[in-house]
Amino acid sequence: MPLELIGITVLWTFLYGYLIVASIDFGAGFFSYYSVLTKKEHRITQVINRYLSPVWEVTNVFLVFFFVGIVGFFPDTAYYYGTSLLLPGGIALLLLSIRGSFYAFANYGARQNSSFLFLYGITGLLIPASLSTVLTISEGGFIREEAAGKVRFLPWELLTSPYSWSVVFLAVVSVLFISASFLTYYADKAKDGPAFETLRQYALFWSSPTMVASMWVFMALSRHNEEHFQNMWEIAWVFLLSLACFLGAVYLIGRGKRLGWAFILVMLQFGFAFFGYGFSHLPYLLYPYITIHSGLTHSNMGWALVISFVAGLFLLIPSLLLLLRLFLFNANYVQGKK
Amino acid sequence: MDPTLLSRILTAETLAFHIIWATIGVGVPIFISLAEAWGIYKKDDHYILMARRWTRGFVITVAVGVVTGTSIGLMLNLLWPRFMQLAGNVISLPLFLETFAFFFEAIFLGIYLYTWDRFRKPIYHWLTSIPIIIGSALSAVFITTVNAFMNTPAGVQIENGEVTDIYPLAAMFNPATPSKTAHVLSSSYVACAFLLGGIAAHALLKGRHSTYHQKGLKMTMIAGLILSVATAVAGDMSGKFLAKNVPEKLAAAEWHFETQQEAPLIIGGYLDENQEVQGAIQIPWALSILGKGKPDGEIIGLNDFPVDERPPLYLHYLFDGMVLIGAFLILISALFLYAWWRRRNLWHPWLLRGIVLGAPMSFLAIELGWIYAEVGRQPWIIRGVMRVDAASTTADHVGVLLVVFTLLYITLAVIAVSVLRRLFHHHSPEKELEERRIIL
């Protein structure tokens, strides 16, 4: 496999990892605040906190990994995206900072504070919206390269584009759907009846907008970037598989059975869609300015990165498994006995 | 104002804020682990409680450290896109490795926090603190190699602003790497020794003469003396490195204009309109000894550099401040240990006040040393390769971002401090020992 393809696959996989773990986290923050608002916090907050507390810091690293990696493999992205994303990136960064620090203030501080919880909950919806604009911009049409290599971002185009709004909408509802289906599974393991019932309803509620949003994104993309849409059409079977996984997951959640499998199906649903989208986006990283062939002109560094990545995985995978064993697949911990 | 200046201010502000929390993040795990190990070994619940209480405060500081660290990581791309486009080819390996180290630390911090009572043997829980120490130290080392590369670029061929050939490991282990990483690590550890020691000394001064705080102070001051001497040794290494590889930085710090042998070291003073040094204490030969290790060593002066490649001259005061604080830290911890050894009054108020003062001073020294290291590289962003004004973003709105992030940092600082205070204020260690039903 050519080096640049290895690079983008590694990075895309990490972004997929971030998509799943961050969605669980963002959605959980929102549900947690929503339950306080509707005076149901006694039902679900405990389950949510028991899951989130040990893993919130890890979530953040997936994102850092992606943006450090993409600049490493494809330095041109730093120039184009860096120059054009100053404001959207700054906003995302501000929201991430508020969210990360206020989680700690709210949970490890001396007392519960509802305004901290509010900030934590609301940023959980705004961050996916602001991060998803990067994917929108990658489709082209929102950046113009003027003379002398000066790159200009066109915020007005972004704000008035139906495609960009469809992506934002999809990001927000997917976050809520992924999160609710995971937490349903977790509440079931915790043998927490009321939490399970509430979360199951959330998951079912958010499933239909997820489907609607996906269709909308397809249609909007066909108008925005026809070339990309054609590429997606050629691998339509991937998206049909995604749809099948979605239907399977909704069926299992609806019946309230085999929720571990239901969540795996949700992961596969987003996995197929995400990798299908990514694959059909190639060779462009930023249409039409950056392709994956623009980076890695220096294979020395490319190989060093791949080697360090493999070495890093040897360290990470056992540690992550230990984390999961201690907090996710440990019946006593999940049920709050220890 | 132009984007370059605004970008410099925002980057400086973010880093200045970040390094406070990053220093705590690197240094405090060592002390938590030491306290827990000693507590398990001696079966002394005071030390176990110490580890627990330090951890509780540590989590809050880690959260702020993580978010400001993410900020600076992304901001480098947003504010210095042309620098990252060029350097991204070369520094991506250490940046990548730094993320791995951070990942490792994050996983085990989660485990450490939530497994205090879960393992059969307490030693297993202590073992999970080791990856936290390794992870935090390694991420400090990797990120410092990036900064070292900006000071003494190596392992790369650059022609007409284009990178033509790269040796990733040579870039990482450039000439500045050994002295920089040694100085960064040792100074982080020493600052945390004085932070934790200062808290204990403060409690003792307030009249809470508990054994808990006395044990804490003894432990941190032993570490404090060893580490502050080690930091001075690392600083001496840095001096010799500068004299050889980045002479203009050392010359600017010492107002050393003419290249000469037997160069004196200057403390304090000011420059008059003829660039003559006035009112300073001069130590003959000391600069030659610092830079070359012998009294007749030749030290290159600032006049050997073109005017537009000289760093600013106010660096002198930063350098003096950092060195004086370092000397003070060695002195005060040595005094404490001397009093302990000779069985004098260890808890003398003036001694305790000195240690309390050492806590903010050691963080001030870190800020001063860091500003000295960064501004000393001006006008270069990569020394000899790329100037700062050629690297910054051309986008508008940097000013908006500057205002927003300034407000964010102020808010975070205020809330973090008040949360930390509330965490410990009404919760004395004695009360906590009682609650845990431990009778000593």
Side-chain angles (χ1 to χ4, degrees), chain B residues 244-295:
Chain B
K244 188 167 170 235
N245 293 287
V246 199
E248 75 273 23
K249 198 189 255 185
L250 186 68
E254 281 305 318
W255 291 341
H256 182 68
F257 294 99
E258 295 299 330
T259 299
Q260 66 175 103
Q261 297 180 322
E262 302 179 0
L265 191 77
I266 294 167
I267 298 172
Y270 61 94
L271 284 175
D272 64 13
E273 57 272 22
N274 305 321
Q275 297 285 59
E276 297 283 336
V277 181
Q278 302 289 346
I281 305 167
Q282 297 216 0
I283 308 174
W285 307 311
L287 186 58
S288 288
I289 295 173
L290 174 73
K292 290 284 154 78
K294 49 183 190 249

Side-chain angles (χ1 to χ4, degrees), chain A residues 47 185-196 331 334-335 337:
Chain A
V47 168
Y185 158 67
Y186 202 71
D188 182 48
K189 280 198 64 162
K191 296 200 170 55
D192 189 339
F196 169 71
V334 177
Q335 292 168 17
K337 287 180 189 151

Side-chain angles (χ1 to χ4, degrees), chain A residues 69-87:
Chain A
I70 195 159
V71 175
F73 276 105
F74 310 103
D76 280 349
T77 55
Y79 181 60
Y80 282 89
Y81 282 111
T83 307
S84 54
L85 284 175
L86 185 74
L87 270 194

Side-chain angles (χ1 to χ4, degrees), chain B residues 127-207:
Chain B
L127 281 176
T128 63
S129 72
I130 304 295
I132 303 178
I133 295 174
I134 297 174
S136 59
L138 280 183
S139 57
V141 167
F142 289 133
I143 208 67
T144 308
T145 66
V146 172
N147 186 274
F149 172 81
M150 292 160 78
N151 280 285
T152 49
V156 61
Q157 301 280 331
I158 295 173
E159 279 166 27
N160 306 325
E162 292 278 322
V163 177
T164 55
D165 217 352
I166 303 173
Y167 300 93
L169 288 178
M172 230 169 100
F173 297 100
N174 59 73
T177 296
S179 57
K180 248 188 196 291
T181 47
H183 202 51
V184 163
L185 275 186
S186 59
S187 60
S188 301
Y189 293 146
V190 84
C192 290
F194 275 89
L195 174 70
L196 299 170
I199 293 171
H202 180 74
L204 290 170
L205 265 180
K206 287 266 167 168

Side-chain angles (χ1 to χ4, degrees), chain B residues 153-436:
Chain B
V156 61
Q157 301 280 331
I158 295 173
E159 279 166 27
N160 306 325
E162 292 278 322
V163 177
T164 55
D165 217 352
I166 303 173
Y167 300 93
L169 288 178
M172 230 169 100
F173 297 100
N174 59 73
T177 296
S179 57
K180 248 188 196 291
T181 47
H183 202 51
V184 163
L185 275 186
S186 59
S187 60
S188 301
Y189 293 146
V190 84
C192 290
F194 275 89
L195 174 70
L196 299 170
I199 293 171
H202 180 74
L204 290 170
L205 265 180
K206 287 266 167 168
R208 285 178 235 139
H209 272 265
S210 67
T211 9
Y212 171 86
H213 290 301
Q214 291 176 346
K215 284 177 179 170
L217 190 56
K218 283 178 178 170
M219 188 176 137
T220 49
M221 282 305 107
I222 296 172
L225 180 63
I226 299 169
L227 291 166
S228 49
V229 171
T231 307
V233 172
D236 184 62
M237 259 170 78
S238 302
K240 296 196 168 37
F241 157 78
L242 286 181
K244 188 167 170 235
N245 293 287
V246 199
E248 75 273 23
K249 198 189 255 185
L250 186 68
E254 281 305 318
W255 291 341
H256 182 68
F257 294 99
E258 295 299 330
T259 299
Q260 66 175 103
Q261 297 180 322
E262 302 179 0
L265 191 77
I266 294 167
I267 298 172
Y270 61 94
L271 284 175
D272 64 13
E273 57 272 22
N274 305 321
Q275 297 285 59
E276 297 283 336
V277 181
Q278 302 289 346
I281 305 167
Q282 297 216 0
I283 308 174
W285 307 311
L287 186 58
S288 288
I289 295 173
L290 174 73
K292 290 284 154 78
K294 49 183 190 249
D296 62 346
E298 187 181 72
I299 300 293
I300 298 169
L302 262 190
N303 291 347
D304 286 15
F305 291 87
V307 177
D308 69 338
E309 287 180 16
R310 290 180 200 170
L313 291 170
Y314 68 82
L315 288 178
H316 175 62
Y317 299 109
L318 306 179
F319 187 79
D320 275 4
M322 171 181 76
V323 174
L324 286 180
I325 292 172
F328 170 75
L329 296 181
I330 295 178
L331 183 75
I332 195 82
S333 50
L335 261 178
F336 181 86
L337 295 181
Y338 178 78
W340 187 4
W341 178 51
R342 300 305 295 259
R343 297 174 194 287
R344 301 284 171 76
N345 180 16
L346 255 187
W347 321 112
H348 191 283
W350 279 108
L351 196 52
L352 293 179
R353 275 181 205 131
I355 295 170
V356 172
L357 184 67
M361 292 294 251
S362 56
F363 279 85
L364 179 65
I366 283 186
E367 295 281 356
L368 293 176
W370 169 72
I371 299 171
Y372 166 57
E374 296 299 293
V375 177
R377 192 179 59 229
Q378 296 299 320
W380 302 104
I381 191 162
I382 306 176
R383 183 175 177 268
V385 176
M386 188 183 229
R387 291 175 80 103
V388 168
D389 46 17
S392 72
T393 182
T394 48
D396 312 321
H397 309 302
V398 183
V400 182
L401 228 52
L402 176 61
V403 173
V404 168
F405 276 87
T406 308
L407 291 176
L408 174 74
Y409 299 144
I410 295 172
T411 318
L412 285 183
V414 170
I415 298 180
V417 170
S418 74
V419 166
L420 283 170
R421 278 180 61 96
R422 229 175 23 222
L423 210 52
F424 295 107
H425 207 245
H426 296 295
H427 218 71
S428 73
E430 292 75 23
K431 220 161 93 189
E432 216 175 311
L433 281 172
E434 235 169 73
E435 282 164 16
R436 292 183 184 281

Side-chain angles (χ1 to χ4, degrees), chain A residues 53 72 76 298 300-301 326 330, chain B residues 85 90 92 114 118 163 166:
Chain A
S53 307
D76 280 349
H298 309 283
N300 270 351
M301 185 47 102
L326 283 170
N330 184 303
Chain B
Q85 189 184 21
V90 196
S92 42
Y114 289 92
R118 276 183 63 184
V163 177
I166 303 173

